Amino acid sequence: MKIAFITSEAYPYAKTGGLADVSFSLPRALHKRGHDVRIIMPRYYVVDKRRFKLTLIHAPLCVPLGFTEKWAAIYEAYDTVITYFIEHDNYFGRDSLYGYGDTPFEDNAERFAFFSRAIFPCLKAMEFEPDIIHCNDWQTGLVPVFRKTHYASDPSFTDTAVITTVHNVGYQGVFHRDNFIWTELGWDLCTAEGLEYFDQINYLKGGILFSDIVTTVSRKYAIEIQSEEYGYNLAPLFRKIKKRLYGISNGVDYGKWNPATDTLIPQQFTGDDLSGKGTCKAALQKRLGLPVNRKTPILAAISRLTHQKGMDLLAETVELLSADERFQFIILGSGEEWLIRKFEDLRSRFPAIFGIYWGYDESLAHLIEAGADIFIMPSRYEPCGLNQMYSMKYGTIPVVRATGGLDDTVIPWDPANGTGTGFKFTELSVRTLYGTIREVLRKYRNQKEWKTLQQNAMIFNRSWHDAAGEYEALYKLALKGV
Ligand code: ADP
C-alpha cells in the first residue's frame, strides 16, 4: 500500500513527546512489511538542514489558506523511509514546535490549518497518490476534513482512505471560532454537527468526524474515552463513532530497549542470568548519590510531572512510606514546579532514600529501567504508556493504575500459579497506592517468587512489527469503505 503518514513531530527531526517516537517507529515497521510510506511534517527551525541532509525538492508550493495563497517549499530527507518537510518560515521558523513554555503560539490554529492544507498540494507535487492518509492528533485534524470537502472529487485522492490516531484526548486543538476562516469551508460545518465545540472550534473533532477509521493507542483507552470521565467532552462523539473506533497499542523499539544488547547500561543481562541487573543497580545508586545496597528495593518513576501522571499522589505516598518501610526512591522527570519542590523537600529530609534528577536524560532512563526493582505509574489516565513495557523487558516490575494501556499490557501477579507480570490497582487514592506498594515490597522479600515474576515480565513482547500488522488490517478495512 501507499501510505502518507502525517505528523507534527517525528524522531529524530523534532520531538516533544511520544508522538515523535511513534512517528519514527510505525512508518519504518510498515516499510518493513512492504509498504511505501512517506512521512510529512513541518520543517521547523530545529530540523537542521545540514545535520539531517535535507534536499530542496520542490518550490514554490502554492497552498490555499483563508481565501488567499501561501507559498511554501518541500524538502526531503531519507532514512529508511522518505520524509517530506513543508517549509514556511513564517509559521515554522521558530525555536519551538507549539509554543513557548506552557503558552501556545497565538497563531497555532492558522499554522496547523496551513500544514493540513499543504498536505494535498504536496502529495500532488510528489505525484504520490496514497491509498491511506494516516493522521495523528489535533495538529492534523483538518486533513480528513479537507479530504472530504475541498479534495472530495480530486482524482488524486478518490480512492484514498483517511485514518486518524488519537494519542491523547487531553489535547484537542480548540480555538476561537474566528479561526474557522482558515478552513475556507462553509459555516454550515461550524455547527455542533461539524467542527464547533462549545462556541469554539475543535480540530481534533474535525479529524474524528471526517476520518474513515479512528484509532487510539490502546484497547482499553478506546473504551474509556467513550465515558465522560476520560473523554474530555468528546465522549458523546466517541460513542457515536464507536463502530469505527479501534485501539492499537504502541510497540516497543527493542533495538533500543533490550537489556541483552543495551549499550547504555554498565552490564547487560537476560532473564536466564540476571546478575548484570545487580551491577546496574549499584551503578544507579552511585550515580544518584544513594547508599549502595543490593538488598534495598528501589522504587522508580520516569515521567512528565503532570496531573495526568498522578505524580502528586506518588509524592504523598512515598512520604508516608518513608516513615515505615525500607526502600529507595528514584525519580527522573521534568514538569510542574510545585511537584519538583515537593520531591526536593523529601530529598532534603531523607537523603538516603531519595535519588532525584530533573531534566530529560535518555541514558539515565536506561540505567533506571535496568537498575531499579519496581516501577510505579499511578496515572489518572494513560492512553498507552511505554515505560511499563520497557520496565518489564528489564525485569523491573511495574506497579500501575489499571487504566488505558497500563491495564492492557500488565498482567497481575498470581503467586498461586506463578503467572503475571506486575501489579495493578484501580482506586486513585494515596491510601490505595500506599497499600499496594507495601504489599509489593512484602512480595519483593520472597526473592524466589520475585525472580519468577521478573522472568515472566521479561518475556512480554510488544513489537512494532505486530502493531504495524494491526494497522495494516485496519487500512484494508478503511479501503473497503467500512
Ligand atoms: P507520555 O508520552 O505521556 O509522556 P509515555 O510513557 O508514553 O508517556 O512515554 C514517555 C517516554 O518519554 C518514555 O520513553 C520515557 O522513558 C520518556 N521520558 C519521560 N520523561 C523523561 C525524562 N525526564 N528523561 C528521559 N526520558 C523521559
Side-chain angles (χ1 to χ4, degrees):
M1 271 182 254
K2 291 202 279 181
I3 301 158
F5 191 87
I6 320 298
T7 180
S8 58
E9 54 183 272
Y11 179 86
Y13 307 112
K15 170 170 170 168
T16 69
L19 171 60
D21 292 328
V22 174
S23 304
F24 173 83
S25 301
L26 179 56
R28 281 162 181 79
L30 288 163
H31 167 83
K32 250 196 194 156
R33 296 181 73 95
H35 302 291
D36 183 357
V37 190
R38 315 281 168 98
I39 300 169
I40 309 182
M41 64 179 282
R43 210 292 290 184
Y44 302 104
Y45 189 59
V46 295
V47 184
D48 190 88
K49 287 181 188 168
R50 255 205 236 148
R51 178 174 163 218
F52 293 113
K53 299 193 175 67
L54 265 54
T55 323
L56 176 67
I57 50 166
H58 188 92
L61 181 79
C62 178
V63 181
L65 186 80
F67 303 102
T68 169
E69 283 162 352
K70 300 280 175 190
W71 297 92
I74 307 172
Y75 282 79
E76 181 186 283
Y78 178 77
D79 171 15
T80 313
V81 296
I82 291 173
T83 302
Y84 297 128
F85 298 88
I86 309 284
E87 179 171 85
H88 184 82
D89 277 346
N90 245 351
Y91 291 141
F92 303 119
R94 306 178 190 182
D95 285 341
S96 55
L97 275 56
Y98 311 124
Y100 290 121
D102 286 340
T103 314
F105 292 130
E106 274 183 12
D107 58 351
N108 273 348
E110 182 180 342
R111 296 170 78 223
F112 289 100
F114 165 81
F115 175 60
S116 297
R117 191 71 194 259
I119 299 308
F120 298 91
C122 170
L123 289 168
K124 282 159 87 91
M126 296 302 100
E127 294 177 17
F128 188 74
E129 296 184 358
D131 299 298
I132 296 290
I133 298 181
H134 189 153
C135 301
N136 294 279
D137 281 348
W138 70 264
Q139 291 89 341
T140 63
L142 293 180
V143 175
V145 181
F146 294 154
R147 157 70 186 86
K148 300 276 170 70
T149 52
H150 298 305
Y151 298 91
S153 51
D154 189 310
S156 299
F157 307 110
T158 37
D159 297 323
T160 306
V162 191
I163 287 197
T164 286
T165 298
V166 181
H167 297 262
N168 188 334
V169 180
Y171 303 90
Q172 300 181 1
V174 175
F175 304 105
H176 192 282
R177 57 189 287 133
D178 286 354
N179 286 294
F180 194 67
I181 186 90
W182 305 119
T183 66
E184 297 186 356
L185 294 168
W187 285 91
D188 55 323
L189 282 177
C190 193
T191 58
E193 284 68 46
L195 272 64
E196 198 243 9
Y197 171 89
F198 300 101
D199 212 29
Q200 296 175 291
I201 55 168
N202 183 322
Y203 281 10
L204 184 65
K205 186 182 176 199
I208 294 164
L209 274 174
F210 285 82
S211 289
D212 298 294
I213 281 182
V214 177
T215 71
T216 183
V217 288
S218 67
R219 226 169 22 90
K220 179 84 182 274
Y221 193 57
I223 296 164
E224 287 175 339
I225 57 177
Q226 296 175 45
S227 70
E228 306 307 326
E229 187 187 348
Y230 292 94
Y232 280 85
N233 292 320
L234 288 182
L237 176 61
F238 286 120
R239 287 198 294 273
K240 196 168 129 193
I241 62 129
K242 69 177 179 201
K243 286 217 172 89
R244 52 185 175 92
L245 174 64
Y246 296 84
I248 298 180
S249 170
N250 289 334
V252 170
D253 181 350
Y254 289 113
K256 258 193 189 161
W257 296 96
N258 181 352
T261 53
D262 193 333
T263 51
L264 294 171
I265 59 176
Q267 193 179 332
Q268 289 146 7
F269 57 92
T270 62
D272 291 333
D273 179 6
L274 282 160
S275 55
K277 191 165 171 68
T279 310
C280 294
K281 181 167 179 172
L284 175 62
Q285 288 167 322
K286 227 170 145 186
R287 166 109 191 247
L288 291 177
L290 292 171
V292 175
N293 184 333
R294 280 200 181 189
K295 290 211 169 121
T296 309
I298 298 182
L299 314 181
I302 303 172
S303 183
R304 291 185 289 120
L305 297 171
T306 60
H307 184 73
Q308 179 201 335
K309 301 290 180 180
M311 289 292 127
D312 48 334
L313 295 181
L314 187 57
E316 272 189 60
T317 307
V318 285
E319 181 170 9
L320 280 180
L321 282 166
S322 54
D324 44 25
E325 287 283 348
R326 207 168 73 91
F327 67 96
Q328 291 172 341
F329 178 80
I330 283 172
I331 183 163
L332 164 63
S334 56
E336 291 173 19
E337 201 51 45
W338 72 276
L339 275 168
I340 292 181
R341 276 202 301 275
K342 171 105 190 158
F343 281 111
E344 283 295 345
D345 170 55
L346 288 170
R347 169 158 64 178
S348 62
R349 283 162 50 208
F350 308 101
I353 295 183
F354 286 87
I356 290 176
Y357 186 93
W358 304 126
Y360 194 92
D361 188 326
E362 183 105 8
S363 71
L364 182 57
H366 282 249
L367 185 60
I368 292 174
E369 292 293 4
D373 298 293
I374 296 158
F375 198 93
I376 305 182
M377 297 180 76
S379 304
R380 289 192 163 79
Y381 72 96
E382 194 62 75
C384 177
L386 290 170
N387 276 311
Q388 81 281 13
M389 295 196 269
Y390 300 158
S391 297
M392 287 191 272
K393 191 72 190 169
Y394 285 75
T396 299
I397 301 308
V399 177
V400 302
R401 176 149 184 267
T403 183
L406 300 177
D407 198 25
D408 278 359
T409 52
V410 176
I411 305 164
W413 168 243
D414 172 2
N417 296 307
T419 55
T421 60
F423 300 90
K424 297 198 231 191
F425 61 95
T426 303
E427 194 190 276
L428 197 61
S429 70
V430 172
R431 199 173 55 102
T432 306
L433 186 56
Y434 173 80
T436 308
I437 296 178
R438 282 198 82 170
E439 181 62 18
V440 174
L441 288 172
R442 203 175 61 73
K443 294 262 186 333
Y444 177 80
R445 285 182 212 126
N446 182 340
Q447 276 291 306
K448 198 162 160 270
E449 275 193 10
W450 193 263
K451 192 169 173 200
T452 308
L453 172 56
Q454 284 181 304
Q455 287 172 334
N456 291 350
M458 291 174 84
I459 294 168
F460 172 88
N461 188 289
R462 174 61 178 172
S463 70
W464 272 111
H465 180 78
D466 294 344
E470 291 176 36
Y471 278 106
E472 195 179 288
L474 282 190
Y475 294 159
K476 286 182 187 153
L477 209 60
L479 285 172
K480 273 197 217 153
V482 172

